């Protein structure tokens, strides 16, 4: 029987599957992302599509590249852990997914800054990076990197590893299978990942939205400022938007990975040995 799973795909194959998943997810859920970012920064919400979809191109580029990167990164780490000769245990899958997410933050953090600045002030995909560099310097693109690393690790662990693990447990303990088990597992994984990582995401969003450092300076100063603004609950502003979006994102990306990968690369998921019956 051939190997099946993310560790069985080549890096190029993982990129193709990951980019498809990221593009589908971002187009569907961009308005929720805008509302989440605006709420975290105490900005007013809007129903105007032209505003809700500000930064969607950068968001699509970001998500397709990052999701595409997280799949092969996790696949490579999986092969290192397992030696390429056995399936990963559940705990090993979580470690591999978390590590892949952390590594991908170096790519996604600068791109998310551009998107957040577009959401706040408008501007094109080309003009916004130039404005950021002229206003605050090139080094500003590293603002928010550390909280992004933690957030991406938890999120990747949720949609790539924890969702399938929880779905499997639900099936084993309740007998529920198919769509119901998958959606329940992905929803629980999404809630867990969103709740655990949301304070990091709030810090990241605030520092990247305020590149002039008018209100939010370094990470320590931002943490103290947010606490002064509303106590611990201030870190959870936008949690509802992010939780709903993450549940849907975990489900969409997980389903695309599960359903599309065997279609795109059937040879990887087919049996490499055929039993001959006399």
């Amino acid at each position: 029987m051939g190997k099946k799973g993310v560790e069985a795909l080549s890096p190029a194959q993982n990129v193709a599957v990951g980019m498809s998943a990221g593009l589908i997810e971002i187009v569907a859920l961009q308005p929720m992302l805008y509302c989440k970012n605006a709420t975290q920064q105490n900005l007013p919400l809007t129903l105007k599509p032209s505003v809700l979809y500000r930064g969607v191109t950068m968001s699509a580029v970001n998500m397709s590249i990052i999701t595409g990167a997280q799949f092969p990164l996790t696949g490579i780490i999986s092969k290192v852990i397992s030696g390429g000769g056995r399936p990963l245990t559940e705990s090993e899958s979580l470690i591999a997914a978390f590590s892949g997410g952390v590594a991908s933050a170096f790519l996604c953090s600068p791109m998310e800054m551009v998107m957040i600045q577009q959401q706040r002030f408008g501007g094109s995909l080309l003009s916004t990076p130039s404005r950021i560099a002229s206003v605050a310097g090139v080094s500003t693109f590293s603002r928010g990197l550390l909280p992004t690393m933690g957030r991406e690790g938890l999120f990747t662990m949720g949609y790539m590893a924890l969702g399938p693990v929880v779905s499997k447990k639900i099936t084993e303990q309740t007998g529920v299978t198919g769509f119901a088990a998958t959606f329940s597992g992905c929803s629980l994984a999404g809630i867990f990942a969103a709740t655990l990582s949301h304070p990091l995401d709030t810090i990241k969003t605030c520092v990247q939205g305020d590149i002039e450092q008018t209100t939010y300076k370094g990470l320590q100063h931002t943490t103290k400022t947010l606490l002064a603004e509303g106590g611990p609950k201030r870190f959870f502003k936008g949690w509802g938007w992010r939780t709903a979006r993450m549940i849907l994102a975990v489900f969409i990306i997980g389903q695309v990975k599960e359903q599309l990968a065997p279609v795109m690369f059937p040879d990887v998921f087919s049996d490499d040995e055929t039993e001959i019956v006399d």
Side-chain angles (χ1 to χ4, degrees):
M1 188 71 71
K3 293 188 300 179
K4 298 181 180 181
V6 65
E7 65 270 18
L9 295 174
S10 70
Q13 290 169 336
N14 271 303
V15 167
V17 174
M19 289 183 69
S20 299
L23 286 172
I24 292 171
E25 183 265 329
I26 199 61
V27 171
L29 304 181
Q30 178 70 10
M32 298 178 73
L33 179 58
Y34 175 89
C35 292
K36 187 273 296 183
N37 287 340
T39 301
Q40 287 175 314
Q41 298 173 85
N42 290 324
L43 300 176
L45 300 182
T46 180
L47 293 177
K48 294 181 180 180
S50 60
V51 178
L52 290 172
Y53 276 90
R54 279 180 180 174
V56 66
T57 301
M58 176 54 81
S59 187
V61 171
N62 175 35
M63 287 302 296
S64 61
I65 291 177
I66 295 310
T67 307
Q70 287 169 349
F71 275 77
L73 284 171
T74 301
I76 291 169
I77 295 169
S78 297
K79 288 180 180 179
V80 171
I81 293 174
S82 68
R86 62 174 177 81
L88 296 181
T89 65
E90 292 177 354
S91 60
E92 287 173 340
S93 295
L94 294 173
I95 292 171
F98 182 85
S99 300
V102 169
S104 71
F106 290 91
L107 296 173
C108 74
S109 185
M111 289 188 284
E112 288 190 11
M113 174 181 288
V114 173
M115 180 196 66
I116 289 171
Q117 287 292 306
Q118 285 183 287
Q119 288 178 334
R120 289 201 62 183
F121 305 110
S124 70
L125 186 62
L126 296 178
S127 65
T128 301
S130 298
R131 182 181 63 80
I132 293 172
S134 64
V135 169
V138 176
S139 62
T140 301
F141 287 100
S142 66
R143 272 177 71 83
L145 176 60
L146 288 179
T148 305
M149 292 170 68
R151 185 205 64 187
E152 283 301 303
L154 292 169
F155 177 66
T156 308
M157 183 177 66
Y159 82 75
M160 194 175 291
L162 188 58
V165 170
V166 176
S167 297
K168 180 181 177 182
K169 293 295 184 183
I170 290 173
T171 298
E172 291 174 349
Q173 296 181 14
T174 68
V176 175
T177 60
F179 176 83
T182 300
F183 183 74
S184 298
C186 289
S187 296
L188 291 172
I191 293 171
F192 170 78
T195 302
L196 197 61
S197 64
H198 196 74
L200 294 172
D201 187 69
T202 298
I203 294 171
K204 181 207 77 73
T205 301
C206 289
V207 298
Q208 291 188 335
D210 184 17
I211 60 172
E212 297 87 352
Q213 302 189 38
T214 302
T215 303
Y216 306 109
K217 302 186 186 302
L219 295 181
Q220 184 176 2
H221 177 269
T222 299
T223 300
K224 291 180 178 179
T225 301
L226 291 172
L227 278 172
E229 289 177 354
K233 67 180 181 180
R234 175 65 178 88
F235 293 93
F236 288 91
K237 291 202 71 171
W239 177 87
W241 289 109
R242 186 160 181 260
T243 299
R245 178 176 175 267
M246 190 160 307
I247 290 172
L248 293 172
V250 169
F251 178 73
I252 290 171
I253 294 174
Q255 285 298 296
V256 170
K257 174 188 174 185
E258 181 179 345
Q259 301 298 327
L260 189 58
V263 174
M264 294 174 66
F265 309 106
D267 56 314
V268 176
F269 293 82
S270 63
D271 294 342
D272 56 15
E273 294 180 1
T274 304
E275 292 184 359
I276 301 178
V277 180
D278 294 332

